[in-house]
Amino acid sequence: MLIAMAGLPGAGKSSVAGALGRKLAAPVVSVDPIEAAMWRAGVARDQPTGLAAYVVAEAVADGVLGMGQTVIVDAVNAVEAARGQWRSLAARHGVPAVFIEVVCSDPLVHRRRLENRSRGIEGFAEPTWEAVQRLREGFASWADHRLVLDTVTDLSSNVATASGFLSAKA
Ligand SMILES: Nc1ncnc2c1ncn2[C@@H]1O[C@H](COP(=O)(O)OP(=O)(O)O)[C@@H](O)[C@H]1O
Ligand SMILES: [Mg+2]
């Protein structure tokens, strides 16, 4: 299956994706390190590297699904165009697309995590809390069924919840 994460920066997507990927032995394809790699390679910042990173992630995920393996896509997926991209890719492979939205319902905790994390992605400028609020305003409401995980809950409980949800979908 194709598992697509969604949620604002700092909500906890990559943490959940990583833990779930280890549990399922499934590769995680994250858009942020792909975009940072483009910048390191000399692609200018004014180029549409954000969109390009989604397209590259799709190509990588396509290859994984082509080998008959589950893939986890780790991206904000704020808009319907992005979400539709994963639905189409899964449909081309005849596998389910499952969305896991990650939220942090406590704004103080969310902000602290955003501002205190250090991801070590060379060349990647971290978004500010203000930028995350702007993204929140542009975050499209959902039409399709999804699992929502709140990261005020501990990681292992959320991974267990996600595993149960995925078992029902497989
Ligand atoms: N229960 C939790 N679930 C997920 N992340 C958590 C949790 N508790 C603390 N964090 C921390 O929150 C920060 C942001 O998480 P991250 O996965 O990088 O978010 P995102 O990928 O959505 O931007 C990280 O430093 C992570 O370790
Ligand atoms: Mg992340």
Side-chain angles (χ1 to χ4, degrees):
M1 63 171 68
L2 185 158
I3 302 164
M5 311 303 297
L8 296 172
K13 300 177 298 298
S14 299
S15 304
V16 173
L20 194 58
R22 278 188 290 277
K23 180 160 182 158
L24 303 177
V28 178
V29 181
S30 289
V31 298
D32 285 358
I34 292 172
E35 186 174 21
M38 289 183 208
W39 293 332
R40 282 201 303 279
V43 180
R45 300 263 173 167
D46 62 0
Q47 292 298 308
T49 51
L51 172 63
Y54 276 74
V55 178
V56 171
E58 180 178 349
V60 177
D62 189 30
V64 177
L65 291 174
M67 297 203 302
Q69 293 185 0
T70 288
V71 66
I72 303 174
V73 176
D74 176 26
V76 172
N77 285 319
V79 295
E80 179 47 39
R83 299 168 190 170
Q85 176 189 351
W86 308 122
R87 274 196 295 271
S88 304
L89 176 62
R92 288 204 294 281
H93 286 273
V95 298
V98 181
F99 286 91
I100 300 180
E101 184 184 8
V102 177
V103 301
C104 180
S105 61
D106 184 331
L108 293 177
V109 172
H110 187 175
R111 182 173 188 167
R112 194 177 64 229
R113 287 181 184 167
L114 180 82
E115 293 176 346
N116 290 346
R117 76 174 166 185
S118 65
R119 297 191 290 176
I121 309 178
E122 191 194 331
F124 201 92
E126 292 294 343
T128 62
W129 180 244
E130 287 68 33
V132 170
Q133 297 322 299
R134 285 195 296 277
L135 257 175
R136 194 191 296 279
E137 285 158 24
F139 204 89
S141 57
W142 288 84
D144 41 6
H145 188 55
R146 72 209 191 280
L147 173 67
V148 180
L149 296 176
D150 188 341
T151 57
V152 295
T153 305
D154 66 273
L155 183 59
S156 55
S157 306
N158 274 333
V159 170
T161 303
S163 298
F165 181 79
L166 294 170
S167 305
K169 293 272 175 185

